[in-house]
Amino acid sequence: MTTEPALPDAAESRSADVGTDTGSEPNFRSPVSFVRRGSRLQGRRQQAWDELSDRFVIDVPRDEADTSVSPDYVFDAAAEFGRTAPLVVEIGSGLGEAVAHAAEQNPDKDFLAVEVYLPGLAQTLQRIGQKGLTNIRVVQANAPEVLSTMLPAGSVDEVWVFFPDPWHKTRHHKRRLVKDSFAELVARVLVPGGIWRLATDWSDYAVQMREVLDASALFRNLHDGERAGEDSPLTRVHREGLENKAPDDDVDARGGWAPRFEGRTLTSFENKAHEAGRLIFDLAYRRN
Ligand SMILES: C[S@@+](CC[C@H](N)C(=O)[O-])C[C@H]1O[C@@H](n2cnc3c(N)ncnc32)[C@H](O)[C@@H]1O
């Protein structure tokens, strides 16, 4: 039996790395949603990288930082995959569990995994090799740059953001990926009618996602008003005092939560959230 290597701890636990607005990448002009994590590869991950990176890793020209994308570079999915097919982009794909599973289940679609964490990408390559997948590519890059210039406008059928780093401390909320400016970038790449799927195991980030997207004229909540009141996972978090919060009587009258996305396999990351007694919040929005 092989043991699944874990993702690194949540980024904000590495307090030494988050003391400044520029994180540990000196050239970013605004706070980034990640910190530098180990980039050394060993064993099977190194082997997977050596054997598969030429074929499956998009070799993007860089700007300043090593996770940047030169603004002149534009991804050509048809040339890359050798066909025209619906494109799904997973942002922050971690160890690649979700995207590799989905690529295997949906051979008629193409998948792009976007991740800054090199060992996670190497692990994704391992999965690609094990499953013999051809409909997936990976890129080591900062997601906002991928969305703002690398991907052509209106070229993506679905964007997935599953369990983004929660950045719990209030002073770190500006690092959260899902905010107004990010929503505009996702809207840019989606085809009209394209879908943005999100999931998180932290209720206050779930509320932030819902606020940002419900307020956006670019998106429509596919489950507006659903799972409200006693059916809302947010009500349960309040009532049951989950996430180490004191129990309270707040009822989530608004709802808007999606059912669990059946195309998202249960990853080791999500499993840990279940084991810790946290609830999962799913959201799904359509690009207007
Ligand atoms: C908490 S992990 C979740 C990983 C995966 N989605 C899962 O459910 O197992 C969040 C991931 O997002 C990645 N990430 C954070 N900010 C990013 C960014 N700006 N661009 C690309 N990846 C990013 C992190 O490196 C990390 O692997």
Side-chain angles (χ1 to χ4, degrees):
M1 197 178 88
T2 52
T3 315
E4 184 68 44
L7 273 173
D9 295 338
E12 64 254 56
S13 66
R14 266 167 281 260
S15 52
D17 281 334
V18 296
T20 69
D21 274 358
T22 53
S24 55
E25 295 254 9
N27 295 318
F28 287 113
R29 270 164 239 103
S30 59
V32 287
S33 58
F34 61 93
V35 293
R36 299 302 292 167
R37 292 167 165 164
S39 59
R40 294 242 305 273
L41 300 181
Q42 291 172 335
R44 292 201 192 148
R45 286 178 176 175
Q46 182 66 61
Q47 193 185 340
W49 191 269
D50 292 343
E51 291 173 3
L52 299 172
S53 60
D54 277 357
R55 175 147 183 232
F56 293 101
V57 178
I58 307 296
D59 185 17
V60 297
R62 304 294 178 184
D63 192 14
E64 291 175 346
D66 58 7
T67 52
S68 63
V69 181
S70 166
D72 300 330
Y73 172 70
V74 179
F75 180 64
D76 182 346
E80 186 58 45
F81 290 102
R83 66 174 183 174
T84 301
L87 180 63
V88 178
V89 175
E90 187 183 13
I91 302 291
S93 49
L95 301 174
E97 282 171 283
V99 73
H101 176 84
E104 187 177 30
Q105 297 294 310
N106 298 277
D108 53 330
K109 296 180 182 171
D110 291 329
F111 291 81
L112 179 66
V114 180
E115 174 55 63
V116 286
Y117 175 56
L118 187 68
L121 289 173
Q123 183 78 27
T124 308
L125 291 181
Q126 242 181 284
R127 292 180 202 286
I128 292 171
Q130 284 160 358
K131 293 175 185 291
L133 302 173
T134 57
N135 58 334
I136 178 169
R137 297 292 182 274
V138 308
V139 62
Q140 186 183 20
N142 178 29
E145 295 174 67
V146 172
L147 297 173
S148 63
T149 51
M150 172 175 155
L151 291 169
S155 65
V156 175
D157 291 80
E158 295 200 15
V159 170
W160 295 352
V161 180
F162 298 150
F163 307 100
D165 292 318
W167 294 105
H168 292 295
K169 292 176 187 159
T170 308
R171 70 190 163 92
H172 288 153
H173 281 185
K174 58 186 175 224
R175 295 176 173 278
R176 286 180 169 175
L177 212 45
V178 182
K179 51 192 169 198
D180 293 346
S181 56
F182 188 76
E184 284 172 22
L185 296 180
V186 172
R188 176 191 167 272
V189 302
L190 280 173
V191 295
I195 309 291
W196 184 4
R197 301 185 190 281
L198 308 99
T200 180
D201 52 335
W202 293 104
S203 62
D204 75 323
Y205 201 179
V207 168
Q208 174 171 328
M209 292 172 174
R210 185 179 65 176
E211 270 169 16
V212 166
L213 284 168
D214 279 1
S216 170
L218 301 167
F219 290 97
R220 183 170 64 79
N221 190 333
L222 286 174
H223 300 277
D224 197 27
E226 293 178 27
R227 291 172 190 78
E230 298 303 321
D231 296 332
S232 165
L234 187 57
T235 303
R236 269 194 65 197
V237 168
H238 293 160
R239 289 272 167 79
E240 297 172 30
L242 304 178
E243 301 179 17
N244 295 325
K245 291 179 178 162
D248 62 44
D249 290 334
D250 280 3
V251 172
D252 170 30
R254 186 154 145 197
W257 311 111
R260 187 182 195 285
F261 171 43
E262 59 185 24
R264 190 181 81 241
T265 192
L266 183 65
T267 64
S268 48
F269 190 85
E270 179 176 351
N271 218 15
K272 276 189 203 146
H274 288 301
E275 283 168 11
R278 292 196 298 276
L279 302 183
I280 309 300
F281 296 79
D282 274 83
L283 289 160
Y285 287 80
R286 187 184 297 282
R287 170 76 166 101
N288 289 329

